Amino acid sequence: MASRAATGRAIAIIVGLVLALVAAFLLWRYVSAADQRAQEGAELVDIFVAQGAITAGTTGQNAIRSQQVVLDQIPSDNRPANAITTFDEIVNLTAVSTIPDQAVIQVGMFGESTIADTQFELNEGQVAISLQVGIPEGVGGFLNQGETVGIIAHIDAQVATTQIAEGPDGPVVTATEAPEVEVTTSKYLASGEVLSLGQRIISTDAEGNQNDAVEQTGQVLVTLSVTPEAAEQLVFANNEGIMHFTLLPEGGELGDTPGTTFDTLFNR
């Protein structure tokens, strides 16, 4: 008896699934037919869409050549008012920010690329190093060529503890334990002159207003003149932590600071 009841429930479930699939198919057919009927009487117009995401900095020429921008058609009522109509509108421009897959290419998505003057002379004993800087960390976007800046490194690190014993030839490490002590440190590492600012892309929107792409991407490449020792420190800090820039007076130099940790934050 129980077996018959279980069989009946199984049959009921299967029938329910079949009916649900049939209903879903009929709904899809209805929506597809309605969409087709709506487009049959509509005028189709050309548009250009992104075939895969187009990363910021991609030139229009490369996007077209690699078929990242392709021709498509949609009803005229659905075309954005500022959609581009020819490849010529973007071929000599650069993607301002990442363009999502299948996005309609519109005016302002590509803009003119300008590079700051990179002609500079290094003083004796200095090297040039380039760092990717975020807008907040880069003094709110107020970095300019020729200014003197200070760089603060903020690093979270774990310190391994060691045991040292006195050996016949001097102190020796007898054991090293796993990192247990977490240290957070902020300290001025170096100061240097801003030699150049990297690529900045200027876009023009549908109303003709110019916009700086750095505000959209939040990043700018900064080249600094520093000592070789400071360059090593900045590379390490850039890989292991976060760096913040401060503006200094012209020709200003950093004083020696002890650095700040949780233990010293309020004990000075």
Side-chain angles (χ1 to χ4, degrees):
M1 194 72 174
S3 177
R4 290 181 179 178
T7 301
R9 285 196 296 272
I11 293 173
I13 292 173
I14 293 172
V15 171
L17 289 174
V18 171
L19 291 175
L21 290 173
V22 171
F25 175 75
L26 293 175
L27 178 61
W28 173 79
R29 285 288 302 274
Y30 174 79
V31 171
S32 298
D35 185 59
Q36 184 176 358
R37 289 193 301 271
Q39 292 195 21
E40 282 177 353
E43 177 189 1
L44 296 180
V45 293
D46 291 341
I47 58 166
F48 294 91
V49 298
Q51 192 72 23
I54 302 173
T55 58
T58 302
T59 64
Q61 184 177 29
N62 286 338
I64 295 167
R65 182 180 301 165
S66 61
Q67 296 187 340
Q68 288 181 285
V69 176
V70 296
L71 183 65
D72 201 351
Q73 287 190 323
I74 59 173
S76 59
D77 292 342
N78 296 338
R79 184 174 67 179
N82 60 340
I84 68 168
T85 57
T86 66
F87 281 136
D88 291 342
E89 295 180 63
I90 63 169
V91 67
N92 296 318
L93 303 180
T94 303
V96 170
S97 57
T98 298
I99 301 172
D101 181 31
Q102 297 303 310
V104 177
I105 306 301
Q106 303 176 48
V107 174
M109 288 184 172
F110 285 79
E112 294 183 0
S113 174
T114 61
I115 304 291
D117 182 14
T118 56
Q119 299 299 317
F120 52 78
E121 293 184 4
L122 286 171
N123 295 327
E124 186 71 26
Q126 299 281 300
V127 297
I129 182 171
S130 296
L131 303 167
Q132 193 81 2
V133 181
I135 292 299
E137 295 87 355
V139 202
F142 290 103
L143 288 178
N144 290 298
Q145 188 173 4
E147 291 176 335
T148 302
V149 294
I151 305 98
I152 300 175
H154 178 87
I155 296 178
D156 293 327
Q158 289 185 323
V159 180
T161 58
T162 59
Q163 297 179 8
I164 301 177
E166 194 67 32
D169 298 322
V172 294
V173 176
T174 58
T176 300
E177 299 179 3
E180 293 180 351
V181 181
E182 186 169 318
V183 177
T184 300
T185 303
S186 293
K187 180 175 173 55
Y188 266 111
L189 287 187
S191 63
E193 179 187 352
V194 177
L195 297 177
S196 71
L197 297 173
Q199 190 175 41
R200 302 173 74 92
I201 304 171
I202 308 299
S203 68
T204 303
D205 59 24
E207 286 74 35
N209 301 314
Q210 288 193 339
N211 303 301
D212 193 335
V214 171
E215 297 178 359
Q216 300 182 36
T217 62
Q219 296 285 322
V220 63
L221 193 67
V222 180
T223 301
L224 302 171
S225 172
V226 296
T227 64
E229 294 82 1
E232 291 178 348
Q233 291 179 305
L234 294 177
V235 169
F236 183 87
N238 190 45
N239 290 335
E240 300 297 331
I242 302 172
M243 291 191 298
H244 293 260
F245 283 56
T246 63
L247 287 176
L248 300 178
E250 185 176 355
E253 295 184 0
L254 293 175
D256 187 24
T257 63
T260 299
T261 65
F262 283 119
D263 293 334
T264 63
L265 182 60
F266 300 108
N267 297 321
R268 290 188 178 177

